[in-house]
Amino acid sequence: MAGQVWSANATGGYLANPKLSKTLRSATQPMYKFRQFTRLEKAIGKGRGDTVDFNKVSNVSTAGGSISEASRIPETNILLRRGQLVMQEYGNSIPYTGKLDDLSEFSVDNMITVALRNDMAKVLDNAVATKFKESDISYTPTSSSAGTFDVDGTVNTSATANLSVFHIKEIVDAMKTGIYAAIGTGNPVPPWDGENYICIASVKALRGIKDDPDFEEVMKYADPERLLTGEVGRFYGVRFIETNNTGALSNGVGSSSVLGEAIFFGADPVIEAVAVAEEIRAKIPEDYGRSKGVAWYGLLGFENVWDFSTDSEDHIVVVRST
């Protein structure tokens, strides 16, 4: 048809401008949960190098016992072992032009800062998760009522079932006793808060246990103000934290991707050292203000405290698969 129409700019479309929403939407973010469980080494800071040594004290070499009146008290010793953490730089940046800043209806600096803060949280939480997953001890479900431990840092079994209540009991009993089936015996793992262990689990891993009537939802706690970030419930002396960060824990590994990954741990699993705490930095404008930018930066590091192969002790059990 002839005449004026909206569908073409020259014959009518230019008579109105598209409406620009005043609300900025940011991409959805995975919840980050790992870093709240690191122990900060307080004595670290600038001017102290990039390496942090930390000592670990063994149990007594020979246990004491009863003695007769005429006997001397027996003597024994302890062993000191040393771990090492090396800090490294972390960061990311987004440059932008002065022209964009001058013509935009929105604050470019604020928009970029939000995106970089989200990136900073994900990167550092994934870095902590990577250290948790370096544990020597792993557990792989092979059916709804069976599973396999490995204590040498490698996984030799493919999961054929998702996490279940049976597997939780197996893992917790092993941590309490230090007995990982017939393949490894070490020191018991102390609970994280003196009473409970912690499990950070993927959405799929938790799906395997949430339907069980023994799983206690977080709303039933007597002391809700003590909840940890992301805590969803507890069972068999374990407080469960749910994460949807698939960069940290996968929602599908093993045979037919049946298993959701999870990490169980007790007290003092990973330490953190900070020379420069993560922060948002503005670039000094260049080219007479035409070149701008925002970055996040940190100089810090994370490391597992215990190593089963050398300490006969590891405070972390990773539920995973080949």
Side-chain angles (χ1 to χ4, degrees):
M1 97 178 238
Q4 311 308 121
V5 295
W6 174 260
S7 58
N9 288 333
T11 57
Y14 279 142
L15 294 177
N17 292 319
K19 185 69 174 178
L20 180 61
S21 171
K22 298 300 182 182
T23 301
L24 281 174
R25 276 84 175 176
S26 296
T28 56
Q29 303 301 314
M31 305 294 285
Y32 43 94
K33 308 293 167 49
F34 284 88
R35 199 174 178 194
Q36 63 182 315
F37 297 107
T38 64
R39 174 171 57 84
L40 181 64
E41 290 292 326
K42 297 181 180 180
I44 310 306
K46 289 184 177 180
R48 296 174 181 264
D50 67 346
T51 302
V52 181
D53 291 333
F54 55 95
N55 289 332
K56 297 174 280 186
V57 182
S58 73
N59 290 328
V60 296
S61 299
T62 305
S66 62
I67 54 176
S68 63
E69 181 179 2
S71 299
R72 294 179 63 85
I73 296 177
E75 297 176 341
T76 186
N77 66 343
I78 57 175
L79 298 177
L80 295 176
R81 296 184 177 89
R82 177 161 291 184
Q84 191 173 83
L85 181 157
V86 179
M87 293 182 285
Q88 57 186 326
E89 294 179 295
Y90 292 87
N92 203 359
S93 67
I94 299 177
Y96 61 96
T97 65
K99 183 177 181 179
L100 174 65
D101 197 24
D102 292 337
L103 299 181
S104 175
E105 292 186 33
F106 298 94
S107 169
V108 177
D109 183 275
N110 289 344
M111 179 173 57
I112 291 175
T113 296
V114 170
L116 287 175
R117 286 189 184 278
N118 290 334
D119 179 66
M120 178 174 66
K122 287 182 288 187
V123 168
L124 294 180
D125 206 52
N126 285 351
V128 179
T130 297
K131 286 300 176 182
F132 271 90
K133 295 174 77 170
E134 289 178 358
S135 169
D136 284 342
I137 303 176
S138 62
Y139 182 85
T140 305
T142 54
S143 75
S144 60
S145 58
T148 300
F149 281 103
D150 284 294
V151 297
D152 59 0
T154 61
V155 184
N156 301 309
T157 307
S158 179
T160 54
N162 196 16
L163 191 68
S164 71
V165 165
F166 172 86
H167 303 133
I168 293 171
K169 292 179 179 179
E170 289 283 281
I171 293 168
V172 172
D173 289 351
M175 295 174 74
K176 286 181 177 179
T177 61
I179 301 173
Y180 300 95
I183 59 174
T185 300
N187 296 324
V189 179
W192 182 79
D193 59 2
E195 296 180 0
N196 301 281
Y197 295 103
I198 301 294
C199 173
I200 303 179
S202 63
V203 174
K204 186 167 186 175
L206 277 178
R207 186 65 180 87
I209 64 171
K210 279 185 174 180
D211 290 338
D212 192 283
D214 290 332
F215 185 81
E216 183 178 2
E217 294 181 355
V218 75
M219 289 77 75
K220 300 175 184 177
Y221 280 25
D223 194 9
E225 65 272 15
R226 295 180 57 207
L227 298 181
L228 299 163
T229 302
E231 189 169 1
V232 296
R234 62 183 171 189
F235 172 76
Y236 204 66
V238 180
R239 299 172 68 174
F240 287 88
I241 312 296
E242 186 174 57
T243 178
N244 63 345
N245 185 351
T246 55
L249 293 177
S250 173
N251 267 320
V253 294
S255 178
S256 302
S257 299
V258 68
L259 175 67
E261 289 185 320
I263 296 177
F264 291 77
F265 58 92
D268 202 22
V270 172
I271 63 170
E272 173 181 348
V274 177
V276 178
E278 68 271 22
E279 61 187 8
I280 298 293
R281 294 182 174 184
K283 176 184 176 182
I284 297 174
E286 298 175 346
D287 194 20
Y288 304 95
R290 297 178 66 244
S291 176
K292 300 181 179 183
V294 181
W296 72 265
Y297 174 82
L299 178 53
L300 62 164
F302 313 96
E303 189 57 69
N304 289 353
V305 176
W306 302 96
D307 187 323
F308 193 82
S309 62
T310 58
D311 303 325
S312 295
E313 185 168 344
D314 206 321
H315 291 189
I316 303 168
V317 177
V318 184
V319 179
R320 52 189 168 190
S321 170
T322 55

